Structures are given as structure tokens and as C-alpha cells.
Amino acid sequence: MEPSFPISGRVPRFFTGWSLITLMFTLLIIFIVGVIVYRTIVAVVLSETSLGAEAPVLSSLTSSVINLVIILVMSFLYSKLARKLTHWEMHRTDSDYEFNLTLKMYLFEFV
């Protein structure tokens, strides 16, 4: 007889994993909105100083660097999280495991 993990144990793990994925997407949207708000505030504040002419360039440059850092950090965290979640879900077959890992990695990298 093949050892298996009961479905009553797999379903809560599945929903917990997808809830965490939804939370990470929400966090990413918050970061994106934060960068947009940051860029707007910096442009307005700098336009009122002696750097008024360079305000759009400086705000764009600093927000781009912040966005780059967020993308790199989130990409690293997403790959770790996708592997841990897929392993934690205890898929029955290797092909099931690989499919779910690929799906999570695709969703994380797509967003």
C-alpha cells in the first residue's frame, strides 16, 4: 500500500498556502502604491526648492532605485516562499509537486 497524506490534512495546507500567496500579492501592491506616492511627494517637495528644475528627474531616479530594490528583494523572497510552500503542501507525486512549484514561481514572477 502506498503511503499517503490524508486529504483532511492537505486541504488546510493548500488554503493556507494560497492565502499566504494572496497576502504577498497584496503586499506587493502596497509597495507599488508606496513608490508612486513617494515619487509624487518628492517631486512636489523638490519643485519648491532650488532644485525645482531637476525635481522630476531626481524623483524619478530615486523612485526607480527604490523600485529596483523592492523587485530584487521580493523576487528572492518569492522563490524561497514558493519552494517552502510547495514542500509544505506535501504533494502526492513529483509531477504534482513540480506543477505547483512552477505555478507559484510563474505567479510570483509575473506580478
Side-chain angles (χ1 to χ4, degrees), residues 4-54:
S4 66
F5 191 62
I7 195 159
S8 62
R10 274 189 282 151
V11 170
R13 287 176 181 247
F14 177 78
F15 284 117
T16 302
W18 283 101
S19 298
L20 191 56
I21 290 170
T22 304
L23 177 71
M24 293 300 286
F25 284 144
T26 305
L27 184 65
L28 182 64
I29 290 173
I30 290 170
F31 284 148
I32 291 170
V33 170
V35 169
I36 292 169
V37 169
Y38 167 81
R39 182 177 177 183
T40 305
I41 290 173
V42 168
V44 168
V45 168
L46 287 179
S47 66
E48 296 171 356
T49 65
S50 62
L51 299 171
E54 290 85 17

Side-chain angles (χ1 to χ4, degrees), residues 22-98:
T22 304
L23 177 71
M24 293 300 286
F25 284 144
T26 305
L27 184 65
L28 182 64
I29 290 173
I30 290 170
F31 284 148
I32 291 170
V33 170
V35 169
I36 292 169
V37 169
Y38 167 81
R39 182 177 177 183
T40 305
I41 290 173
V42 168
V44 168
V45 168
L46 287 179
S47 66
E48 296 171 356
T49 65
S50 62
L51 299 171
E54 290 85 17
V57 174
L58 288 174
S59 66
S60 180
L61 179 69
T62 57
S63 64
S64 296
V65 170
I66 291 170
N67 200 25
L68 171 69
V69 170
I70 289 172
I71 289 171
L72 292 175
V73 169
M74 294 303 276
S75 179
F76 176 76
L77 290 176
Y78 284 158
S79 64
K80 293 278 189 192
L81 181 65
R83 291 185 195 285
K84 286 187 187 248
L85 279 178
T86 306
H87 183 72
W88 184 68
E89 289 171 358
M90 295 182 152
H91 295 283
R92 199 175 131 236
T93 62
D94 284 343
S95 61
D96 238 4
Y97 177 88
E98 290 296 326

